[in-house]
């Protein structure tokens, strides 16, 4: 298998839990799985994740927990701020390309 420069639409994908060198490059830090990978390997403290990948997960977790966020243990990327400012409110608002442009 080779490391590709970018994903080409229509190209077969490999599982999100495959080694990083086999997944298409997304310029992210190596966390042991891809983002939004719903596999047990994505559990924040899965014992199969070691070395740099574990250190990256622990750095993210420790940093966000120090700021008041709580990790969902089944997803290394999933954090909720506690106490939530609006725990019973669901926000639904449109996001448009224009909302991301900066006024000069």
């Amino acid at each position: 298998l080779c490391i590709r420069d970018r994903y080409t639409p229509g190209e077969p994908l490999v599982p999100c839990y495959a080694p990083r060198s086999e997944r298409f490059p997304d310029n992210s830090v190596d966390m042991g799985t891809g983002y939004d990978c719903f596999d047990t390997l994505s559990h924040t403290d899965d014992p199969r994740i070691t070395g740099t990948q574990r250190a990256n997960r622990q750095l993210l977790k420790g940093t966000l927990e120090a700021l008041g966020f709580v990790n969902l243990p089944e997803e290394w990327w999933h954090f909720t701020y506690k106490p939530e400012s609006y725990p019973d409110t669901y926000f639904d608002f449109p996001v448009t390309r224009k909302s991301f442009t900066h006024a000069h």
Side-chain angles (χ1 to χ4, degrees), residues 69 80-93:
F69 290 84
T80 303
Y81 184 71
K82 298 289 184 175
E84 293 185 53
S85 301
Y86 305 96
D88 299 318
T89 303
Y90 292 89
F91 296 93
D92 184 16
F93 53 90

Side-chain angles (χ1 to χ4, degrees), residues 64-83:
L64 291 177
E65 285 180 344
L67 296 170
F69 290 84
V70 176
N71 176 236
L72 178 65
E74 293 80 16
E75 301 171 357
W76 59 259
W77 63 87
H78 192 144
F79 292 83
T80 303
Y81 184 71
K82 298 289 184 175

Side-chain angles (χ1 to χ4, degrees), residues 1-5 11-15 17-25:
L1 297 172
C2 65
I3 297 176
R4 300 178 303 277
D5 290 335
E11 182 179 357
L13 294 174
V14 297
Y17 51 82
R20 184 172 187 201
S21 63
E22 295 176 21
R23 300 189 314 262
F24 76 93

